[in-house]
Amino acid sequence: QQLTLKFYDKNWAQTGWANGKKGTAEEYLRWREMTEQEITGRWGPCSYMIANVTRRQAGSKRLPEWEEAAATACAVHNMHIQACSFPGVACYWSSWHDAARDSAEMASFLGLEDKEDKVLGFLVIAAYAPDLLTDKDRRVRGRSHTMAEWRV
């Protein structure tokens, strides 16, 4: 999260912020302050941010890029389903800020050496207190969302 802010501090005038928004230094600083408050507030309880990365296959028999991205998405979805089966665990897939996510700084931070490797987003995992949930909280799921029905 702090890496994202450092990226925008360095590049906001060229890339914009908040997925491409451009404006004045004053507007950027307002956005940055709000985002930093989210990092320490809403994002503060975040236990893990798992990078969802598609690493391109080497060799002559490469799969199409879309197939590798789909396989990565399926693996992340399986982690999400598994996490949802545990009481007190909350998670979701965040595409994150595209300029920071797709930057050379992020690739370096994650140790990605091949230019074709891509960060697809992050699986954000945190503990939550069920007593803090309200009736309007859409994260509350019934058992039907964690089970599959097979038909033949």
Side-chain angles (χ1 to χ4, degrees):
Q1 298 160 347
Q2 292 297 328
L3 177 67
T4 299
L5 287 179
K6 287 179 187 174
F7 171 81
Y8 283 121
D9 286 344
K10 181 179 170 188
N11 300 292
W12 71 269
Q14 294 79 31
T15 64
W17 62 91
N19 293 329
K21 179 178 166 89
K22 295 196 176 193
T24 66
E26 183 179 303
E27 291 170 316
Y28 168 70
L29 291 174
R30 276 197 309 269
W31 173 84
R32 190 194 191 289
E33 183 179 338
M34 176 201 66
T35 303
E36 193 161 30
Q37 288 173 2
E38 284 187 356
I39 287 172
T40 57
R42 182 171 71 122
W43 289 89
C46 172
S47 303
Y48 301 97
M49 289 180 70
I50 300 171
N52 307 330
V53 176
T54 296
R55 296 191 98 157
R56 292 292 284 147
Q57 196 176 35
S60 60
K61 290 190 170 190
R62 290 172 53 150
L63 295 172
E65 182 181 0
W66 73 265
E67 224 173 294
E68 290 185 353
T72 301
C74 287
V76 173
H77 185 66
N78 285 337
M79 289 189 294
H80 194 178
I81 290 170
Q82 182 65 34
C84 287
S85 71
F86 293 102
V89 175
C91 68
Y92 73 98
W93 177 315
S94 171
S95 297
W96 208 241
H97 301 260
D98 59 357
R101 179 196 65 219
D102 300 338
S103 69
E105 290 89 340
M106 184 64 74
S108 175
F109 177 76
L110 295 172
L112 304 179
E113 297 172 3
D114 191 326
K115 296 281 186 214
E116 291 187 316
D117 295 344
K118 290 193 173 154
V119 180
L120 302 178
F122 294 87
L123 184 65
V124 181
I125 302 174
Y128 75 88
D131 58 308
L132 296 178
L133 298 178
T134 69
D135 291 338
K136 292 182 181 179
D137 196 324
R138 64 187 181 100
R139 293 174 293 181
V140 177
R141 293 180 176 89
R143 184 111 172 103
S144 65
H145 292 289
T146 61
M147 299 183 69
E149 180 181 329
W150 297 93
R151 298 180 184 185
V152 242

